[in-house]
């Protein structure tokens, strides 16, 4: 089990670290679960090789841009529960994309919200981004509701190639985050 010092970011219940090439089994447990991927990847259940490619993409994104959808773990037990993080979106405007994937056996426990808030704070406070972009499959009402609860504002529909669909898309600007981040701290 990892100690809290092994994480570069923590929240009340969660610890974040970077993916490594040794994490294939963790990645398969997450992205190999069709319940997790069906709303953001239209290829059907992903093979071990497809998950391995996804893992290598996350590692490359960390190496090239200093961000990724980081694996997250329960601080209490060290159990892997998913990933949450950032990826490049609009470098010219200093906007990153936020995303989170929670293992299906950990749904409806508040982990996505907690992870998203930790990542939002990291993005706005540590990385000093000007905004965060987020999108979701039009059928994923849970993600829609969470983004709205987190303070994101709908801006447009955007084509997302992995699903072949127009995804509702949202933006949260740094000044808007400053206004709502105090509310998050009171909830903690």
């Amino acid at each position: 089990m990892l100690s809290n010092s092994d994480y570069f970011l923590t929240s009340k219940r969660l610890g974040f670290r970077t993916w490594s090439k040794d994490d294939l089994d963790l990645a398969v447990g997450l992205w190999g679960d069709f319940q997790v991927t069906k709303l953001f990847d239209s290829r059907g259940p992903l093979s071990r090789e497809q998950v391995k490619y996804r893992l290598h993409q996350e590692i490359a994104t960390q190496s090239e841009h200093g961000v990724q959808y980081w694996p997250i773990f329960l601080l209490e037990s060290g159990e892997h529960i998913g990933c949450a993080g950032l990826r490049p979106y609009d470098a010219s405007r200093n906007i990153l994309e936020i995303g989170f994937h929670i293992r299906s056996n950990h749904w409806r426990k508040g982990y996505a919200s907690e992870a998203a808030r930790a990542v939002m704070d990291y993005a706005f406070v540590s990385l000093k981004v000007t905004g965060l972009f987020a999108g979701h499959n039009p059928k994923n009402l849970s993600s829609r509701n969470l983004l709205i609860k987190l303070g994101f504002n709908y801006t447009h529909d955007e084509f997302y190639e992995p699903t072949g669909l127009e995804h509702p898309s949202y933006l949260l600007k740094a000044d808007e985050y400053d206004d709502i981040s105090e509310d998050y701290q009171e909830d903690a």
Side-chain angles (χ1 to χ4, degrees):
M1 186 168 100
L2 297 173
S3 72
N4 285 7
S5 64
D6 293 318
Y7 301 115
F8 75 92
L9 177 65
T10 60
S11 63
K12 186 175 179 178
R13 300 179 293 172
L14 306 175
F16 296 70
R17 68 163 173 80
T18 58
W19 289 105
S20 79
K21 60 180 174 46
D22 298 327
D23 289 329
L24 181 57
D25 288 338
L26 294 179
V28 168
L30 175 64
W31 296 312
D33 179 349
F34 185 59
Q35 292 302 309
V36 173
T37 61
K38 69 181 178 182
L39 292 177
F40 64 84
D41 193 320
S42 63
R43 294 179 290 179
L46 300 183
S47 69
R48 189 171 179 86
E49 282 304 307
Q50 289 169 318
V51 171
K52 184 177 182 179
Y53 180 76
R54 171 72 190 242
L55 175 63
H56 287 294
Q57 284 182 303
E58 293 297 338
I59 293 168
T61 301
Q62 180 71 38
S63 177
E64 294 169 26
H65 303 283
V67 295
Q68 65 180 204
Y69 283 16
W70 300 291
I72 51 179
F73 303 84
L74 293 177
L75 292 175
E76 189 174 294
S77 67
E79 183 179 359
H80 178 242
I81 63 156
C83 68
L86 304 162
R87 65 173 50 138
Y89 180 73
D90 184 344
S92 68
R93 295 177 28 211
N94 194 25
I95 296 174
L96 293 175
E97 180 176 348
I98 187 172
F100 33 87
H101 306 147
I102 304 298
R103 292 175 75 146
S104 60
N105 61 325
H106 290 287
W107 289 352
R108 291 178 274 295
K109 296 178 183 175
Y111 296 136
S113 176
E114 184 176 336
R117 286 181 175 155
V119 170
M120 290 163 59
D121 194 58
Y122 182 78
F124 286 116
V125 175
S126 298
L127 300 180
K128 307 288 189 212
V129 300
T130 60
L132 288 175
F133 167 86
H136 66 82
N137 186 301
K139 296 176 184 173
N140 191 341
L141 298 182
S142 294
S143 285
R144 174 193 171 276
N145 294 338
L146 178 55
L147 290 171
I148 291 168
K149 179 181 173 184
L150 292 170
F152 283 78
N153 297 299
Y154 171 81
T155 55
H156 65 287
D157 285 353
E158 185 170 306
F159 181 75
Y160 186 65
E161 189 172 339
T163 63
L165 299 172
E166 294 285 329
H167 283 210
S169 299
Y170 303 77
L171 187 66
L172 179 63
K173 297 177 187 171
D175 59 341
E176 296 167 332
Y177 178 73
D178 291 341
D179 291 342
I180 61 174
S181 66
E182 291 176 14
D183 296 336
Y184 293 154
Q185 292 166 0
E186 290 172 9
D187 291 343

